[in-house]
Amino acid sequence: MRFNRLLSALILATAPLATPVYAATTITWWHAMEGVLGDKVNEIADAFNASQDQYVVKPVYKGSYSDNLTATIAAFRANKAPAITQVFEVGTATMMSAKGAIYPVHELMQDTDTPFDPNAFLPAVKSYYTSADGHMLSMPFNSSTPVLYYNKDAFKKAGIDAPPKTWSELGDDARTLVERGASECGLTTAWPSWTQLENFSAINDLPFATKANGFNGTDTRLVFNQQPETVAHIQQLADWQKTHAFEYGGRGDDGTKRFQSGRCAMLTTSSASQAGIKDASAGNFEFAIAPMPFDQDAISQPKNSIIGGASLWVMKGQRDEVYKGVARFLNFVASPEVQADWASFTGYVPITTAAFERLKQQGFYDKTPGADVAINQLTRGTPNDNGRGLRLGNMPQIRNIIADALENAFNGRDSVPEALDNAAKRGNAQLTQFQQSVGQ
Amino acid sequence: MTVFERHRLTPWLLLAPQLVIVVLFFFWPAFASLRQAFYVQDAFGLGERFVGLANFERVLATAEYWRAAGVTLIFSIAVAAGAMGLALLFAVLADRVLRGSKLYRVLLTWPYAVAPAVAGLLWLFMFDPVLGVLSHGLALIGVHWNVHLDPTQALLLVVIASVWQQMSYNFVFFLAGLQMIPASLLEAAAIDGAGPFKRFATITLPLLSPTAFFLLVMNTVYVLFETFATIDNTTLSGPGGATRTLVYKLYEDGFVARDLGSSSAQSVLLMALVGLLTVVQFRYIERQVQY
């Protein structure tokens, strides 16, 4: 026993001597991918590390997206920022305005003479991370978009053959499902603000905020409450709530439970939730994926939906040597091989056209029905002012404010117009504060 | 005396580790947040501007702040009353148990060892509107349980989780307090013909009052600060802000909205509130306490 301890102490003590003499440059990558996604992130880093011997990428899981952003900010303030950090799409405005803290990806690529073509990315992905003057500031990594999941067994039981295309068809189907006892509830949703307001606005070509949803300046203000179609949509959800045609399922991805348990027959949530839903519903019921419904009173041909997910930001304060490695690694991450593998494994969309083509060639979309719904919905048409995404400061908090409003509308505390007006007012105070804090 | 004078430095040396910790982890952050309350700053700290009392004005002018203050008031009273009342009841009962008293005491103390975040998750697991065991039970007796939309039920859930947790702490102190009461006093009263309730009201309760007073202060602090994790793991301040307490709002503004000025101003206000409450408790309630 004692001998063993002595031996292990010796091994520990001599361990540093065993490392190679030439030191590879370490690149720290903070991320928020947990569980199997985290394993996949490590796999990507390992593959990169094995492909060359100059750089070692070290991925570090820092908790939720919000935790990681907090950690990154705190580290930056202490001059200890990681080289690369993963920031969710709603943190984009915060990162973009932190000009002294970030190293824009297009500059990095130029400074390190790394080939980089922004047009290789899907337009809806590229636009989200591109500044007003047309430069890509961060590297897209994991992008998803909301889709409609429906319980095929329940639909069969209710005698409905096809998933709804419009919200009014969805309303009819939801009522039929409940009335015929095929399910206790028709529709539920995860990420309520993202699916029912942000994407509803984009798909139906309605503004969510002024200044092209914040893309043209930080003096943007929320206007979703002034769009009659948006207000009417939330009103119909509130009406359906009374008959269980719709059931509000809580914030974040809480609503998913109502679908997974078989209680609700339809769910709007991220395309990236597919793997999780498949696991949870296995042996219980069959489900399929359809595009998000659109509002036929607002538009005849639905526009593209907008993305969720995250991108990789490069932080200032590293040595030049590190940045060379960062540029090489980012190129590796965006390569068709890595992206195709990542997308087929996770349900995120392939972020480049090349990766999409590669998956098509591999027959992925033939083997996996429904997997192309998200990317087709994301790539239909060219994104216009209402469909490039949202660039709003304090957006995570605005989502909380919208969740407050939806809850107050669905439980009858406020009328729908009252609730949305109040959310816009509170949200605009956030935008004013953000505008002042970044001094613009 | 001379011995001490030669060792003037020694007491300071002995105190130093504790002083360093207090300065580093209490005074410094407190000072930093006091300073921050007068500035507007971006998230990354790249620039800041002195704004005087503007952050305070902004906080006090929002309806949500006052709503959170109201929620905090109701929440505090419910949790303090619930946790202290139940703890006293259990302490009296556990004090009378002759057989297996240690087991009861351990079991009643246990919840305190559970982290608030875990406590929140445990209760959510039982009361989840879709998956919760108790939600199904309630549905059978005709109660539609949905903490995602019902403000009263949501508040009830966080009150129950907090009471369950804080009760153990109170229980330990009440039990210790009960065991300090001399048996001879109670016996004398019994001989004089006082029944159990009379004995409890005229002897036990007054003699427990220092403990109860101490616990009142501690419970107030617990409710104001430590229930954050419970709320964050169950209702996330919803539905519609029905469970948004002052400390939760402070967190949202600081760590979600990254509005450091506003959240610092709120922390200063909260600190002042706790100070004020403690002073009030010491000035007015302590007078009723018999040591």
PDB file of all heavy atoms in Angstrom, chain A residues 70 73 77 98 241 249 254 257-258 394 404 407 411 413 426 433 437, chain B residues 41-44 64 67 128 130-131 148-149 239-240 244 257-259:
ATOM      1  N   THR A  70     -21.278  35.181 -19.077  1.00  0.00           N
ATOM      2  CA  THR A  70     -20.878  35.821 -17.821  1.00  0.00           C
ATOM      3  C   THR A  70     -19.414  35.525 -17.514  1.00  0.00           C
ATOM      4  O   THR A  70     -18.645  36.423 -17.159  1.00  0.00           O
ATOM      5  CB  THR A  70     -21.760  35.319 -16.663  1.00  0.00           C
ATOM      6  OG1 THR A  70     -23.120  35.546 -17.014  1.00  0.00           O
ATOM      7  CG2 THR A  70     -21.459  36.036 -15.369  1.00  0.00           C
ATOM      8  N   ILE A  73     -17.100  37.449 -19.887  1.00  0.00           N
ATOM      9  CA  ILE A  73     -17.019  38.866 -19.539  1.00  0.00           C
ATOM     10  C   ILE A  73     -16.139  39.067 -18.305  1.00  0.00           C
ATOM     11  O   ILE A  73     -15.252  39.928 -18.282  1.00  0.00           O
ATOM     12  CB  ILE A  73     -18.431  39.449 -19.325  1.00  0.00           C
ATOM     13  CG1 ILE A  73     -19.152  39.526 -20.678  1.00  0.00           C
ATOM     14  CG2 ILE A  73     -18.371  40.820 -18.668  1.00  0.00           C
ATOM     15  CD1 ILE A  73     -20.605  39.937 -20.585  1.00  0.00           C
ATOM     16  N   ARG A  77     -12.549  41.033 -18.099  1.00  0.00           N
ATOM     17  CA  ARG A  77     -12.299  42.148 -17.183  1.00  0.00           C
ATOM     18  C   ARG A  77     -11.071  41.882 -16.326  1.00  0.00           C
ATOM     19  O   ARG A  77     -10.466  42.806 -15.798  1.00  0.00           O
ATOM     20  CB  ARG A  77     -13.529  42.417 -16.317  1.00  0.00           C
ATOM     21  CG  ARG A  77     -14.713  42.912 -17.166  1.00  0.00           C
ATOM     22  CD  ARG A  77     -15.974  43.078 -16.345  1.00  0.00           C
ATOM     23  NE  ARG A  77     -15.937  44.308 -15.592  1.00  0.00           N
ATOM     24  CZ  ARG A  77     -16.910  45.213 -15.591  1.00  0.00           C
ATOM     25  NH1 ARG A  77     -17.986  45.031 -16.290  1.00  0.00           N
ATOM     26  NH2 ARG A  77     -16.799  46.299 -14.871  1.00  0.00           N
ATOM     27  N   ALA A  98     -18.972  45.367 -28.169  1.00  0.00           N
ATOM     28  CA  ALA A  98     -17.785  45.359 -27.307  1.00  0.00           C
ATOM     29  C   ALA A  98     -16.537  45.409 -28.179  1.00  0.00           C
ATOM     30  O   ALA A  98     -15.745  44.467 -28.219  1.00  0.00           O
ATOM     31  CB  ALA A  98     -17.785  44.119 -26.424  1.00  0.00           C
ATOM     32  N   GLN A 241     -55.871  28.422 -25.482  1.00  0.00           N
ATOM     33  CA  GLN A 241     -55.449  27.997 -24.145  1.00  0.00           C
ATOM     34  C   GLN A 241     -56.668  27.568 -23.307  1.00  0.00           C
ATOM     35  O   GLN A 241     -56.595  26.658 -22.491  1.00  0.00           O
ATOM     36  CB  GLN A 241     -54.700  29.163 -23.471  1.00  0.00           C
ATOM     37  CG  GLN A 241     -54.313  28.956 -22.020  1.00  0.00           C
ATOM     38  CD  GLN A 241     -53.051  28.122 -21.856  1.00  0.00           C
ATOM     39  OE1 GLN A 241     -52.123  28.171 -22.643  1.00  0.00           O
ATOM     40  NE2 GLN A 241     -53.023  27.308 -20.810  1.00  0.00           N
ATOM     41  N   GLY A 249     -46.411  25.849 -22.045  1.00  0.00           N
ATOM     42  CA  GLY A 249     -45.641  24.847 -21.312  1.00  0.00           C
ATOM     43  C   GLY A 249     -44.490  25.381 -20.498  1.00  0.00           C
ATOM     44  O   GLY A 249     -43.671  24.611 -20.025  1.00  0.00           O
ATOM     45  N   ASP A 254     -39.005  23.965 -21.447  1.00  0.00           N
ATOM     46  CA  ASP A 254     -39.942  23.245 -20.574  1.00  0.00           C
ATOM     47  C   ASP A 254     -41.117  22.635 -21.334  1.00  0.00           C
ATOM     48  O   ASP A 254     -41.588  21.557 -21.002  1.00  0.00           O
ATOM     49  CB  ASP A 254     -40.492  24.198 -19.504  1.00  0.00           C
ATOM     50  CG  ASP A 254     -39.809  24.000 -18.173  1.00  0.00           C
ATOM     51  OD1 ASP A 254     -38.834  23.219 -18.136  1.00  0.00           O
ATOM     52  OD2 ASP A 254     -40.237  24.627 -17.182  1.00  0.00           O
ATOM     53  N   LYS A 257     -41.650  18.869 -22.677  1.00  0.00           N
ATOM     54  CA  LYS A 257     -42.174  17.765 -21.870  1.00  0.00           C
ATOM     55  C   LYS A 257     -43.615  17.415 -22.218  1.00  0.00           C
ATOM     56  O   LYS A 257     -44.007  16.262 -22.197  1.00  0.00           O
ATOM     57  CB  LYS A 257     -42.114  18.137 -20.377  1.00  0.00           C
ATOM     58  CG  LYS A 257     -40.734  18.009 -19.785  1.00  0.00           C
ATOM     59  CD  LYS A 257     -40.760  18.237 -18.292  1.00  0.00           C
ATOM     60  CE  LYS A 257     -40.578  19.699 -17.971  1.00  0.00           C
ATOM     61  NZ  LYS A 257     -40.479  20.015 -16.565  1.00  0.00           N
ATOM     62  N   ARG A 258     -44.399  18.456 -22.511  1.00  0.00           N
ATOM     63  CA  ARG A 258     -45.814  18.214 -22.806  1.00  0.00           C
ATOM     64  C   ARG A 258     -45.988  17.426 -24.101  1.00  0.00           C
ATOM     65  O   ARG A 258     -46.996  16.749 -24.293  1.00  0.00           O
ATOM     66  CB  ARG A 258     -46.584  19.533 -22.902  1.00  0.00           C
ATOM     67  CG  ARG A 258     -46.869  20.108 -21.543  1.00  0.00           C
ATOM     68  CD  ARG A 258     -47.607  21.417 -21.588  1.00  0.00           C
ATOM     69  NE  ARG A 258     -47.419  22.055 -20.300  1.00  0.00           N
ATOM     70  CZ  ARG A 258     -48.385  22.208 -19.388  1.00  0.00           C
ATOM     71  NH1 ARG A 258     -49.611  21.851 -19.663  1.00  0.00           N
ATOM     72  NH2 ARG A 258     -48.119  22.748 -18.235  1.00  0.00           N
ATOM     73  N   ASN A 394     -29.343  43.346 -24.886  1.00  0.00           N
ATOM     74  CA  ASN A 394     -30.086  42.771 -23.762  1.00  0.00           C
ATOM     75  C   ASN A 394     -31.201  41.830 -24.202  1.00  0.00           C
ATOM     76  O   ASN A 394     -32.197  41.670 -23.512  1.00  0.00           O
ATOM     77  CB  ASN A 394     -30.694  43.865 -22.876  1.00  0.00           C
ATOM     78  CG  ASN A 394     -29.639  44.695 -22.189  1.00  0.00           C
ATOM     79  OD1 ASN A 394     -28.485  44.301 -22.124  1.00  0.00           O
ATOM     80  ND2 ASN A 394     -30.026  45.851 -21.693  1.00  0.00           N
ATOM     81  N   ASP A 404     -42.829  36.882 -19.481  1.00  0.00           N
ATOM     82  CA  ASP A 404     -43.714  37.499 -18.477  1.00  0.00           C
ATOM     83  C   ASP A 404     -45.045  37.880 -19.115  1.00  0.00           C
ATOM     84  O   ASP A 404     -46.122  37.581 -18.588  1.00  0.00           O
ATOM     85  CB  ASP A 404     -43.083  38.801 -17.960  1.00  0.00           C
ATOM     86  CG  ASP A 404     -42.287  38.603 -16.683  1.00  0.00           C
ATOM     87  OD1 ASP A 404     -42.087  37.442 -16.300  1.00  0.00           O
ATOM     88  OD2 ASP A 404     -41.855  39.614 -16.093  1.00  0.00           O
ATOM     89  N   GLU A 407     -47.248  34.942 -20.228  1.00  0.00           N
ATOM     90  CA  GLU A 407     -47.868  34.285 -19.072  1.00  0.00           C
ATOM     91  C   GLU A 407     -49.032  35.111 -18.541  1.00  0.00           C
ATOM     92  O   GLU A 407     -50.100  34.572 -18.226  1.00  0.00           O
ATOM     93  CB  GLU A 407     -46.811  34.048 -17.986  1.00  0.00           C
ATOM     94  CG  GLU A 407     -45.875  32.906 -18.330  1.00  0.00           C
ATOM     95  CD  GLU A 407     -44.555  32.911 -17.580  1.00  0.00           C
ATOM     96  OE1 GLU A 407     -44.337  33.847 -16.768  1.00  0.00           O
ATOM     97  OE2 GLU A 407     -43.748  31.999 -17.801  1.00  0.00           O
ATOM     98  N   ASN A 411     -52.806  33.611 -18.625  1.00  0.00           N
ATOM     99  CA  ASN A 411     -53.568  33.328 -17.401  1.00  0.00           C
ATOM    100  C   ASN A 411     -54.625  34.392 -17.130  1.00  0.00           C
ATOM    101  O   ASN A 411     -55.300  34.368 -16.094  1.00  0.00           O
ATOM    102  CB  ASN A 411     -52.652  33.088 -16.188  1.00  0.00           C
ATOM    103  CG  ASN A 411     -51.921  34.343 -15.732  1.00  0.00           C
ATOM    104  OD1 ASN A 411     -52.318  35.476 -16.045  1.00  0.00           O
ATOM    105  ND2 ASN A 411     -50.852  34.153 -14.987  1.00  0.00           N
ATOM    106  N   ARG A 413     -54.397  37.607 -16.571  1.00  0.00           N
ATOM    107  CA  ARG A 413     -54.123  38.762 -15.715  1.00  0.00           C
ATOM    108  C   ARG A 413     -54.224  40.044 -16.532  1.00  0.00           C
ATOM    109  O   ARG A 413     -54.752  41.048 -16.068  1.00  0.00           O
ATOM    110  CB  ARG A 413     -52.730  38.625 -15.114  1.00  0.00           C
ATOM    111  CG  ARG A 413     -52.364  39.669 -14.090  1.00  0.00           C
ATOM    112  CD  ARG A 413     -50.984  39.364 -13.516  1.00  0.00           C
ATOM    113  NE  ARG A 413     -50.672  40.264 -12.420  1.00  0.00           N
ATOM    114  CZ  ARG A 413     -49.947  41.386 -12.567  1.00  0.00           C
ATOM    115  NH1 ARG A 413     -49.498  41.727 -13.749  1.00  0.00           N
ATOM    116  NH2 ARG A 413     -49.695  42.146 -11.528  1.00  0.00           N
ATOM    117  N   ARG A 426     -41.362  47.706 -21.527  1.00  0.00           N
ATOM    118  CA  ARG A 426     -40.246  47.252 -20.689  1.00  0.00           C
ATOM    119  C   ARG A 426     -39.033  46.892 -21.535  1.00  0.00           C
ATOM    120  O   ARG A 426     -37.893  47.166 -21.161  1.00  0.00           O
ATOM    121  CB  ARG A 426     -40.667  46.026 -19.876  1.00  0.00           C
ATOM    122  CG  ARG A 426     -41.545  46.355 -18.681  1.00  0.00           C
ATOM    123  CD  ARG A 426     -41.978  45.080 -17.969  1.00  0.00           C
ATOM    124  NE  ARG A 426     -40.844  44.366 -17.377  1.00  0.00           N
ATOM    125  CZ  ARG A 426     -40.899  43.092 -16.979  1.00  0.00           C
ATOM    126  NH1 ARG A 426     -42.019  42.390 -17.127  1.00  0.00           N
ATOM    127  NH2 ARG A 426     -39.857  42.514 -16.432  1.00  0.00           N
ATOM    128  N   GLN A 433     -31.333  51.474 -22.324  1.00  0.00           N
ATOM    129  CA  GLN A 433     -30.226  51.278 -21.386  1.00  0.00           C
ATOM    130  C   GLN A 433     -28.997  50.744 -22.122  1.00  0.00           C
ATOM    131  O   GLN A 433     -27.878  51.188 -21.898  1.00  0.00           O
ATOM    132  CB  GLN A 433     -30.688  50.319 -20.279  1.00  0.00           C
ATOM    133  CG  GLN A 433     -29.696  50.159 -19.137  1.00  0.00           C
ATOM    134  CD  GLN A 433     -28.684  49.083 -19.418  1.00  0.00           C
ATOM    135  OE1 GLN A 433     -28.971  48.113 -20.088  1.00  0.00           O
ATOM    136  NE2 GLN A 433     -27.475  49.270 -18.903  1.00  0.00           N
ATOM    137  N   SER A 437     -25.336  52.382 -22.485  1.00  0.00           N
ATOM    138  CA  SER A 437     -24.171  51.731 -21.881  1.00  0.00           C
ATOM    139  C   SER A 437     -23.058  51.540 -22.898  1.00  0.00           C
ATOM    140  O   SER A 437     -21.894  51.533 -22.551  1.00  0.00           O
ATOM    141  CB  SER A 437     -24.555  50.400 -21.250  1.00  0.00           C
ATOM    142  OG  SER A 437     -24.697  49.409 -22.233  1.00  0.00           O
TER     143      SER A 437
ATOM    144  N   GLN B  41     -22.293  51.478 -17.054  1.00  0.00           N
ATOM    145  CA  GLN B  41     -21.144  50.820 -17.642  1.00  0.00           C
ATOM    146  C   GLN B  41     -21.616  49.763 -18.628  1.00  0.00           C
ATOM    147  O   GLN B  41     -22.664  49.166 -18.430  1.00  0.00           O
ATOM    148  CB  GLN B  41     -20.343  50.158 -16.518  1.00  0.00           C
ATOM    149  CG  GLN B  41     -18.936  49.819 -16.891  1.00  0.00           C
ATOM    150  CD  GLN B  41     -18.231  49.096 -15.767  1.00  0.00           C
ATOM    151  OE1 GLN B  41     -18.750  48.133 -15.225  1.00  0.00           O
ATOM    152  NE2 GLN B  41     -17.040  49.551 -15.419  1.00  0.00           N
ATOM    153  N   ASP B  42     -20.833  49.521 -19.704  1.00  0.00           N
ATOM    154  CA  ASP B  42     -21.182  48.425 -20.604  1.00  0.00           C
ATOM    155  C   ASP B  42     -20.731  47.123 -19.959  1.00  0.00           C
ATOM    156  O   ASP B  42     -19.970  47.126 -18.997  1.00  0.00           O
ATOM    157  CB  ASP B  42     -20.516  48.625 -21.967  1.00  0.00           C
ATOM    158  CG  ASP B  42     -19.029  48.420 -21.885  1.00  0.00           C
ATOM    159  OD1 ASP B  42     -18.391  49.118 -21.074  1.00  0.00           O
ATOM    160  OD2 ASP B  42     -18.508  47.566 -22.597  1.00  0.00           O
ATOM    161  N   ALA B  43     -21.201  45.989 -20.527  1.00  0.00           N
ATOM    162  CA  ALA B  43     -20.964  44.696 -19.895  1.00  0.00           C
ATOM    163  C   ALA B  43     -19.479  44.382 -19.740  1.00  0.00           C
ATOM    164  O   ALA B  43     -19.053  43.824 -18.740  1.00  0.00           O
ATOM    165  CB  ALA B  43     -21.645  43.601 -20.706  1.00  0.00           C
ATOM    166  N   PHE B  44     -18.676  44.753 -20.740  1.00  0.00           N
ATOM    167  CA  PHE B  44     -17.274  44.373 -20.729  1.00  0.00           C
ATOM    168  C   PHE B  44     -16.398  45.350 -19.941  1.00  0.00           C
ATOM    169  O   PHE B  44     -15.204  45.170 -19.845  1.00  0.00           O
ATOM    170  CB  PHE B  44     -16.745  44.261 -22.164  1.00  0.00           C
ATOM    171  CG  PHE B  44     -17.168  42.994 -22.829  1.00  0.00           C
ATOM    172  CD1 PHE B  44     -18.400  42.900 -23.440  1.00  0.00           C
ATOM    173  CD2 PHE B  44     -16.345  41.883 -22.815  1.00  0.00           C
ATOM    174  CE1 PHE B  44     -18.792  41.718 -24.045  1.00  0.00           C
ATOM    175  CE2 PHE B  44     -16.738  40.702 -23.411  1.00  0.00           C
ATOM    176  CZ  PHE B  44     -17.966  40.618 -24.033  1.00  0.00           C
ATOM    177  N   GLU B  64     -42.089  47.208 -11.997  1.00  0.00           N
ATOM    178  CA  GLU B  64     -41.666  45.841 -11.673  1.00  0.00           C
ATOM    179  C   GLU B  64     -40.919  45.789 -10.344  1.00  0.00           C
ATOM    180  O   GLU B  64     -40.983  44.802  -9.634  1.00  0.00           O
ATOM    181  CB  GLU B  64     -40.757  45.273 -12.782  1.00  0.00           C
ATOM    182  CG  GLU B  64     -41.500  44.819 -14.004  1.00  0.00           C
ATOM    183  CD  GLU B  64     -42.069  45.983 -14.780  1.00  0.00           C
ATOM    184  OE1 GLU B  64     -41.389  47.029 -14.860  1.00  0.00           O
ATOM    185  OE2 GLU B  64     -43.199  45.864 -15.278  1.00  0.00           O
ATOM    186  N   ARG B  67     -43.463  45.772  -7.713  1.00  0.00           N
ATOM    187  CA  ARG B  67     -44.172  44.494  -7.690  1.00  0.00           C
ATOM    188  C   ARG B  67     -43.288  43.447  -6.994  1.00  0.00           C
ATOM    189  O   ARG B  67     -43.759  42.669  -6.161  1.00  0.00           O
ATOM    190  CB  ARG B  67     -44.511  44.062  -9.129  1.00  0.00           C
ATOM    191  CG  ARG B  67     -45.175  42.718  -9.180  1.00  0.00           C
ATOM    192  CD  ARG B  67     -46.222  42.605 -10.281  1.00  0.00           C
ATOM    193  NE  ARG B  67     -46.954  41.363 -10.096  1.00  0.00           N
ATOM    194  CZ  ARG B  67     -46.959  40.365 -10.990  1.00  0.00           C
ATOM    195  NH1 ARG B  67     -46.336  40.501 -12.130  1.00  0.00           N
ATOM    196  NH2 ARG B  67     -47.627  39.258 -10.734  1.00  0.00           N
ATOM    197  N   ASP B 128     -44.193  19.267 -10.842  1.00  0.00           N
ATOM    198  CA  ASP B 128     -44.169  19.636 -12.250  1.00  0.00           C
ATOM    199  C   ASP B 128     -45.556  19.404 -12.847  1.00  0.00           C
ATOM    200  O   ASP B 128     -46.157  18.358 -12.641  1.00  0.00           O
ATOM    201  CB  ASP B 128     -43.147  18.776 -12.998  1.00  0.00           C
ATOM    202  CG  ASP B 128     -43.011  19.185 -14.451  1.00  0.00           C
ATOM    203  OD1 ASP B 128     -43.823  18.720 -15.280  1.00  0.00           O
ATOM    204  OD2 ASP B 128     -42.123  19.978 -14.738  1.00  0.00           O
ATOM    205  N   VAL B 130     -46.631  18.596 -15.667  1.00  0.00           N
ATOM    206  CA  VAL B 130     -46.825  17.469 -16.577  1.00  0.00           C
ATOM    207  C   VAL B 130     -46.370  16.160 -15.951  1.00  0.00           C
ATOM    208  O   VAL B 130     -47.073  15.162 -15.973  1.00  0.00           O
ATOM    209  CB  VAL B 130     -46.043  17.684 -17.894  1.00  0.00           C
ATOM    210  CG1 VAL B 130     -46.378  16.589 -18.886  1.00  0.00           C
ATOM    211  CG2 VAL B 130     -46.352  19.040 -18.474  1.00  0.00           C
ATOM    212  N   LEU B 131     -45.159  16.160 -15.365  1.00  0.00           N
ATOM    213  CA  LEU B 131     -44.557  14.915 -14.918  1.00  0.00           C
ATOM    214  C   LEU B 131     -44.696  14.682 -13.414  1.00  0.00           C
ATOM    215  O   LEU B 131     -44.453  13.585 -12.946  1.00  0.00           O
ATOM    216  CB  LEU B 131     -43.070  14.895 -15.287  1.00  0.00           C
ATOM    217  CG  LEU B 131     -42.737  15.168 -16.764  1.00  0.00           C
ATOM    218  CD1 LEU B 131     -41.244  15.283 -16.963  1.00  0.00           C
ATOM    219  CD2 LEU B 131     -43.321  14.064 -17.639  1.00  0.00           C
ATOM    220  N   HIS B 148     -46.949  26.856 -14.252  1.00  0.00           N
ATOM    221  CA  HIS B 148     -46.496  27.678 -15.377  1.00  0.00           C
ATOM    222  C   HIS B 148     -47.408  28.861 -15.616  1.00  0.00           C
ATOM    223  O   HIS B 148     -47.017  29.839 -16.222  1.00  0.00           O
ATOM    224  CB  HIS B 148     -46.407  26.846 -16.659  1.00  0.00           C
ATOM    225  CG  HIS B 148     -45.266  25.884 -16.649  1.00  0.00           C
ATOM    226  ND1 HIS B 148     -45.350  24.620 -17.170  1.00  0.00           N
ATOM    227  CD2 HIS B 148     -44.018  26.002 -16.155  1.00  0.00           C
ATOM    228  CE1 HIS B 148     -44.191  24.005 -17.002  1.00  0.00           C
ATOM    229  NE2 HIS B 148     -43.374  24.824 -16.387  1.00  0.00           N
ATOM    230  N   LEU B 149     -48.655  28.746 -15.170  1.00  0.00           N
ATOM    231  CA  LEU B 149     -49.582  29.851 -15.434  1.00  0.00           C
ATOM    232  C   LEU B 149     -50.304  30.388 -14.211  1.00  0.00           C
ATOM    233  O   LEU B 149     -50.775  31.508 -14.211  1.00  0.00           O
ATOM    234  CB  LEU B 149     -50.629  29.416 -16.478  1.00  0.00           C
ATOM    235  CG  LEU B 149     -50.165  29.444 -17.938  1.00  0.00           C
ATOM    236  CD1 LEU B 149     -51.305  29.062 -18.854  1.00  0.00           C
ATOM    237  CD2 LEU B 149     -49.625  30.815 -18.323  1.00  0.00           C
ATOM    238  N   PRO B 239     -45.141  32.717 -12.998  1.00  0.00           N
ATOM    239  CA  PRO B 239     -45.658  33.283 -14.245  1.00  0.00           C
ATOM    240  C   PRO B 239     -45.848  34.804 -14.165  1.00  0.00           C
ATOM    241  O   PRO B 239     -46.403  35.300 -13.197  1.00  0.00           O
ATOM    242  CB  PRO B 239     -47.008  32.593 -14.406  1.00  0.00           C
ATOM    243  CG  PRO B 239     -47.386  32.167 -13.030  1.00  0.00           C
ATOM    244  CD  PRO B 239     -46.114  31.929 -12.281  1.00  0.00           C
ATOM    245  N   GLY B 240     -45.354  35.456 -15.169  1.00  0.00           N
ATOM    246  CA  GLY B 240     -45.528  36.898 -15.269  1.00  0.00           C
ATOM    247  C   GLY B 240     -44.980  37.680 -14.089  1.00  0.00           C
ATOM    248  O   GLY B 240     -45.502  38.725 -13.749  1.00  0.00           O
ATOM    249  N   ARG B 244     -41.152  36.786  -8.643  1.00  0.00           N
ATOM    250  CA  ARG B 244     -39.914  37.555  -8.780  1.00  0.00           C
ATOM    251  C   ARG B 244     -39.680  38.351  -7.509  1.00  0.00           C
ATOM    252  O   ARG B 244     -40.320  39.357  -7.257  1.00  0.00           O
ATOM    253  CB  ARG B 244     -39.980  38.477  -9.992  1.00  0.00           C
ATOM    254  CG  ARG B 244     -38.687  39.284 -10.186  1.00  0.00           C
ATOM    255  CD  ARG B 244     -38.702  40.145 -11.430  1.00  0.00           C
ATOM    256  NE  ARG B 244     -38.688  39.336 -12.631  1.00  0.00           N
ATOM    257  CZ  ARG B 244     -39.602  39.398 -13.587  1.00  0.00           C
ATOM    258  NH1 ARG B 244     -40.611  40.224 -13.479  1.00  0.00           N
ATOM    259  NH2 ARG B 244     -39.512  38.639 -14.643  1.00  0.00           N
ATOM    260  N   ALA B 257     -29.642  40.861 -18.041  1.00  0.00           N
ATOM    261  CA  ALA B 257     -29.637  42.114 -18.793  1.00  0.00           C
ATOM    262  C   ALA B 257     -28.261  42.782 -18.768  1.00  0.00           C
ATOM    263  O   ALA B 257     -28.008  43.692 -19.527  1.00  0.00           O
ATOM    264  CB  ALA B 257     -30.681  43.059 -18.235  1.00  0.00           C
ATOM    265  N   ARG B 258     -27.380  42.329 -17.880  1.00  0.00           N
ATOM    266  CA  ARG B 258     -26.028  42.894 -17.737  1.00  0.00           C
ATOM    267  C   ARG B 258     -26.039  44.408 -17.552  1.00  0.00           C
ATOM    268  O   ARG B 258     -25.259  45.129 -18.146  1.00  0.00           O
ATOM    269  CB  ARG B 258     -25.168  42.489 -18.928  1.00  0.00           C
ATOM    270  CG  ARG B 258     -24.977  41.002 -18.932  1.00  0.00           C
ATOM    271  CD  ARG B 258     -24.231  40.448 -20.077  1.00  0.00           C
ATOM    272  NE  ARG B 258     -24.670  39.055 -20.243  1.00  0.00           N
ATOM    273  CZ  ARG B 258     -24.282  38.066 -19.468  1.00  0.00           C
ATOM    274  NH1 ARG B 258     -23.453  38.265 -18.492  1.00  0.00           N
ATOM    275  NH2 ARG B 258     -24.745  36.856 -19.661  1.00  0.00           N
ATOM    276  N   ASP B 259     -27.009  44.835 -16.755  1.00  0.00           N
ATOM    277  CA  ASP B 259     -27.135  46.243 -16.425  1.00  0.00           C
ATOM    278  C   ASP B 259     -26.534  46.409 -15.028  1.00  0.00           C
ATOM    279  O   ASP B 259     -27.230  46.341 -14.017  1.00  0.00           O
ATOM    280  CB  ASP B 259     -28.631  46.608 -16.451  1.00  0.00           C
ATOM    281  CG  ASP B 259     -28.867  48.066 -16.145  1.00  0.00           C
ATOM    282  OD1 ASP B 259     -27.903  48.769 -15.784  1.00  0.00           O
ATOM    283  OD2 ASP B 259     -30.026  48.496 -16.251  1.00  0.00           O
TER     284      ASP B 259
END
